[in-house]
Amino acid sequence: MSTFKELGLNEDLLHAINDLGFETPSDVQAKAIPLLLEKESDLVALAQTGTGKTAAFGFPMLQKINVDSRTTQGLILSPTRELCLQITNELKLYGKYYKGLNVTAIYGGASITDQARQVKRGAQIIVATPGRMKDMISRNMVDISKIEYSVLDEADEMLNMGFYEDITEILSHTPNDKNTWLFSATMPKEVARIARDFMHDPIEITVGNKNESTNQVSHEYYLVNARDRYQALKRLADANPDIFSVIFCRTKRDTQKVAENLIEDGYSAGALHGDLSQNQRDLVMKSFRNKQIQMLVATDVAARGIDVDDITHVINYQLPDEIETYTHRSGRTGRAGKTGVSMVIVSKSEVRKIKSIERIIKKQFEKKEIPSGIEICEVQLMSLANKIHNTEINHEIDKYLDSINALFADADKDELIKKFFSVEFTRFFNYYQKTKDLNVSDSSRGSERESSSGNETRYFINVGRKDGYDWMKLKDFLKEVLELGRDDVFKVDVKDSFSFFNTEKENQEKVLAFFTDFKYNGRFVNVEVSEDRGRSRGGRSGGKRHDGGNRRRNDDRPRSERRSSGRRSDSGSRNDRRNSSYSESSGNRKDRRSSSESRPRRSDGKPLSDRPRRSRRRD
Ligand code: ADP
Ligand code: MG
């Protein structure tokens, strides 16, 4: 194990490194720094996120440039504004003992004239995103014709984001005899092409295996029905009370949706995607860094700049289209020497992708079960106990102690503890004790439908295409009038003048009760249990109405669950409510939210997760 001094770094840098508290060089630093210091050569370095690449190119670049000159000598291209700022800040820290050093960040979404002014002041190093850089070159705001060192940081990401043309264009304005240092976590074909087309005999260094993800991260997958994805996500969060995670979705829309649902369900969550303004994104990232947000739901593109070190879990809400992307996602956790978990929620149709990922990352996934309600209750209870145990006493309470003691004069310690814990625990318990098992068995392909169809009810409804419905519209309509969750109505099959749909059996009473005398556009809408269970293709088979006599008697659900359907049986106002709820396209979502698995809340209406958030914020 070498020291920074042995790598050949000068006193100014060593001094700064000491201030930063870096003790030993990381692998990529130990390999790259001496090479770059000694040789004037091109370099391709493959290393995972979090391995210290910034210093691997930053230290040699700082040592090699001339700070007495005001000419731009180093150009670093990086994929996002966040990374750009992060690298700039790091370089400033590394170079804090360099008098006259000027490192300038250039990125979109901020004033181009301000940036041009900073460059004019004599930036020896420019750190830029390709888009803005190209812009400034075309406006003659920068001069990179004399640079000696160019760095392509996170090259695979930049190419993923479609910056190939921009990079080519930018490099065409740089001298031929500069050195180019390319850093990348993975080596897809496009990166190899850059190395071939723009570099001269680059030295190649690899830290760990090529394309292998970090050892600090364990990989798990959870097999559930596609419609249970969101419930599964919530259970994973509830089973990890101190979770600090990034949740990846495939589209901006899903990202926004999942974040909104989590917030509505009482979690401290936020969304990060490209449809947000830069200002909104900055705010979300700030809250995430401060840990006010425990669950950051993000798209792959937006998450590229996330440089937070202590992320405990990465959750793949959906798998990425490109397998390479998985490496980047999981690389967000297990950074800076910490361990992390990368979880994947998959449905049966995607499970084979897990095998392909295993081949690429050369690591095995562990198949795990979504925790049961009772497991979650135990975890929450013990987490609460630990929190109480570690809580510092607030002596403001002292003056009320006499009155409180008087109230509990007869209670012994056990009783007191039980009561105290019940305040929080009962809600979790009531909520979770009746929830179903979300796991799907791995065995035969057909079993998903068979095993679940026993718990499903298929209905016939006398509206169809002629009434202007397609399956999405009908699904939305049913969800809305029945106050069911997003995935509670499924297998919707619309025919010309009638349709079919499914719900879980537990919702059957609610569905039938609602449609007993429901009129829409002056016409009775009739819903019956269909004998055609589960099959989505079959025609109308003379649906037979279930015996309605059992419905009321069986309603032994706790009050909170009964609420939404209970309102329906208040026949006085029923039709009005229905009609208004149907015509209201954007009513209060909370009102319509599914009661089947929403998060337990405190009696004051605040989400339970409020508590850890608050106490942490004070730290
Ligand atoms: P990468 O670019 O490979 O993703 P970074 O350069 O962003 O990694 O470094 C990740 C984190 O590790 C940063 O917080 C950085 O300050 C820290 N770091 C880098 N090198 C060292 C080192 N030798 N010792 C301790 N911490 C380091
Ligand atoms: Mg980096």
Side-chain angles (χ1 to χ4, degrees), residues 463-490:
V463 295
R465 261 193 294 274
K466 277 186 185 152
D467 306 282
Y469 288 103
D470 58 20
W471 70 269
M472 261 189 304
K473 283 192 186 132
L474 184 60
K475 186 169 171 159
D476 285 341
F477 163 68
L478 291 167
K479 270 176 355 196
E480 188 156 339
V481 298
L482 294 167
E483 296 193 342
L484 287 172
R486 305 182 319 136
D487 297 314
D488 290 342
V489 176
F490 44 94

Side-chain angles (χ1 to χ4, degrees), residues 4 17 20-26 28-29 47-57 59 83 86-87 90 94 153-154 307 309 332 335-336:
F4 283 108
I17 290 167
L20 281 164
F22 295 1
E23 284 170 4
T24 48
S26 69
V28 69
Q29 291 161 2
Q48 287 304 309
T49 12
T51 49
K53 292 192 287 291
T54 317
F57 61 75
F59 291 161
L83 282 171
Q86 187 196 339
I87 294 167
E90 288 267 314
Y94 304 160
D153 191 30
E154 309 241 1
D307 56 321
D309 278 344
R332 298 296 155 205
R335 287 166 66 95

